[in-house]
Amino acid sequence: MGERELSGAHSGGGVSRRTFVRGTAAAAGLAAFGGALAACTGSEPAAAVKPVVHPVPEAAYVRKLGAVPAGSCNALGDQQCRTGVPNPVFRSVGAGLSVPGLGLPLGGVGGGSFMLNQCGTFGPWNMGGQPTTEFWEMCTLTQAAFHVREEVVGGDGGVSVRTLAVPHTNTAPDRTFGGVLPAWKTLKPGDGSYAVLFPFGYMTYNGFQSKVSTKIWSPIVANEDERTSMPVAFFDMLLNNPTEKPIKLSVMLTFPNAPAFATGSVRTGLYSRFDRDSASGIGGVTLGSDSPENTPDTVTSEWTIAAHPFAGQTLTYCTSWDGSGDGSDIYAPFSAAGADGKLPNGDIDHSASAGAVAVALTLEPDQTQTLRFALSWDFPQVYYDGEDATTRAVWMRRYTAFLGGKTSRTNDYLQDSYPFRQGFTIARKELARYDDSLAVVESWWKPIAENPQVPPWLRKASLNELYHMIFNGSFWESGLVSNTMPMSAEEGTSPRLGSAIPDTHIYFHTDGGGGGAQTNEVDMDSSGYLVFAKLFRSMELGRVRPLLQMVRQNPLGIGRVIQQTFRSSGPYITQTASFQNLPFSKPPTAGNPPAPPATDLGDLFADEAGDPFRDCPHKLIYRTYALIKFYDDDDLLEYGYAPMLKALKYSQFFRPTGSHLPADPASNNPPNTMDQAVVNGHGIYNCGLYLLSLQILSTLTPQAARLGVDEATPEIQKELDEELAAAKEEFERIFWNPATGRYRYCDGTGGIGDRSGTIRGRFKPVPPPDAIWLESFAGQLVAMELGLPDVVDLNHARTHLKNTLDSFIRFRDPEGNLMGGPIILKPDFSIYPSSLRTTEINEVIPGIAFLAAAGAFRIGAKVKDKGIAEKALKLGEGCAVQIYDIENNGYAFATPESWFVDDHHISRFPGYTRTRSVWSLYDAVSAIAVKKPS
């Protein structure tokens, strides 16, 4: 680092929790001392023809700035929008309010994140780790904003100052972001535009004589851990003078010295300082905290707001102003006549509660210049508490490995290796390599964002659905710091998961970022495996390796694969089999429904009802195979072959006598990722995945044998090949119905056709064998994605699709927009109505619809049936339209798990991650190139 100039280093007097988010009083601190920073002489990067505003990509999600609709409110849905009290019936299964106005998340993967929303304010946020509650925190940093001061030289308008934000209010408490401090002059709804095509955001602003726009992004780089994990965001403000007179402009960024969470975080011992790098001219105000009273998530943590001034631009700063006030104290010097928007280069108060940086310049007529800002943060630790308050696991965040942090061969953090206080270091380093970072981001992003072979709606949905990997409590670690969580007896005899292979960095996020599934679910998460396998390999390894290790360590030698990893389990310190909380080493149980005369299906997740989620072993198998195939990863094959084979054999336990296909639980236990759709006997979803697993193991066995893997024997090869042939024949025989020209949903052999079930008091029917399953070709889709032989009869598949696709794409909302199709139809093509108050069987689940569309598109292309491919796109387009184009839905950047097919205003699980499956449809239309790690 170059020269460091400290001008205003403070120790605030002790502020805990989210003091400066809600406007609580700041503590007193030490006295300030001043300093100054002269104009810098760096050269702004040249452009052949500089636009006067940042151009917005064709495929971007675009809205009017601050013009946020109220969102849906339906009589069957959550009445909180009228009463402020959630409807307990629907909220209990994840139903809740959509949140219009969300937008671009800022920061690197696993570093903590918050959104720059459609109102231009900083929130909501989700910093990862334990303090995150059921919902992400619906609040904004009221002190965080950009402000523009404009003065036309020789004009009669005087000084004009505006804060580039719009207050956000709504009728539902869970939908309200809030706004900025009351003394600030904000914009009005519609005073500009807001656009996102992840990881880029674009904002333009009206109300100035200058043309003002901002490009916002974080350096998410395909298959590069360093930049992708870095907690930094860039703000490039483009200023143009279209008038005939010079204009004096100054842009100020203000930010609070905030804790990680509104509740649960303790952050005291506040300080602030100004740093400057003499070589580059980059300067920034750092707002830090250092106290033994702090919770692990705030230990020696810092925010830094920085700028890189170019020639003719002057950087000034304020190291402390009153973050608990109304904002008038920082507005005064910025707005003052004759001061040209320059700050005092020192303190306004001594609280260290908030800081500011400003860059001033004069624009001549027709001149355009860029002002470059960065926001970085260094909250190096993340923690999770177990069920007992005395149990806790503390981890280092992934980015710390690139700033000095080190780990052991078992991936434990080496104490004292990370230097801490890296807020300005991050900002300086990332601003200095801005151009290089932009180039490497665009090297993977542009071929996708600008691909003319892919419809804009599909590009929009694919890129923007990546918001989950940053925002949903994203956890990506760089070493275990400490742990007091107990492990079961079986687990205690083996290393913790994720410790077996050096340089494994566990990746985890919650499935429902806006409430609901506060876990990372293998069955559901696998729907988005393809984009991670092709573009973000390390994160996918951070899921797959711990699961393989779990299977290898199973003391019974069985291949059970957990369905969920709970946030409170470390993650992966301990683990569970499912909601049942069974140890992973428990022998499998086939399960039975209650004995007659009972007609119900038993208790949900009852142990005696048999192992649930029987798709999970297959999903671990194909995710592992994808990484082996895409990267020629012999090391992963050597490590993974044996547990993959165990997982296959685990699924074979559920084959009924005389059958070559596994059956599903004959009970209320979830058969697979569609956990509310009961299966009577063999189900087409799991059986198709079983064929895929057989094909993968048959393909891998010769490769594993060449590597000397003991389990890859000629006997295993013969067994796999014979079983695959027999299973494929049985699959077609029991599922293909030539009389209807369709594949069956199930074969009706489970003995529960006359029974029913309930979930949380709501009816749960057993669909008949000839019900029509939307995702009938789950295994076939993955086989095509991974270049494997077909596992179903494509002639039958073609006929099935020609006879069913029209019925799935027929659904429209009241305005006539496509809305996707439900996961299942009755044999007569009718739907299960939402009046049943059940879930899934009468819902559009966009993550499933995207996969079904991808499978249909690939099958249509392979059999050269253009009509099937076109209808497949319509199925996917309906889901994308509801998420990103129907503004009042409020689904964008909080994509729901589902909406009812006969009332799309009722949705469940805001922020659900299954919709990353849209990348399978993108890849079907135009193959995504595997980005090899550099």
Side-chain angles (χ1 to χ4, degrees), residues 328-384:
S328 58
D329 57 341
I330 190 63
Y331 236 46
F334 184 66
S335 307
D340 295 340
K342 295 175 181 176
L343 299 177
N345 289 338
D347 309 324
I348 291 176
D349 76 352
H350 309 309
S351 66
S353 61
V357 294
V359 178
L361 75 163
T362 299
L363 280 183
E364 298 299 327
D366 295 325
Q367 187 180 14
T368 300
Q369 285 200 38
T370 298
L371 304 186
R372 182 161 296 159
F373 293 86
L375 167 65
S376 63
W377 53 100
D378 182 25
F379 283 65
Q381 293 188 162
V382 62
Y383 76 99
Y384 297 85

Side-chain angles (χ1 to χ4, degrees), residues 448-498:
I448 294 168
E450 300 176 358
N451 188 347
Q453 298 179 16
V454 178
W457 62 263
L458 183 50
R459 288 179 261 155
K460 178 195 307 183
S462 298
L463 284 165
N464 284 335
E465 284 301 317
L466 288 179
Y467 86 89
H468 298 284
M469 77 178 185
I470 288 178
F471 190 66
N472 276 27
S474 176
F475 167 77
W476 197 17
E477 52 81 21
S478 198
L480 179 66
V481 177
S482 62
N483 172 56
T484 56
M485 288 187 177
M487 297 190 290
S488 70
E490 296 92 346
E491 295 159 343
T493 61
S494 302
R496 66 166 177 86
L497 298 186

Side-chain angles (χ1 to χ4, degrees), residues 568-592:
S568 60
S569 68
Y572 290 107
I573 297 292
T574 61
Q575 54 279 320
T576 58
S578 71
F579 286 114
Q580 297 167 289
N581 294 320
L582 296 176
F584 74 89
S585 58
K586 185 183 186 300
T589 305
N592 292 291

Side-chain angles (χ1 to χ4, degrees), residues 99 567 821:
V99 184
R567 191 180 48 155

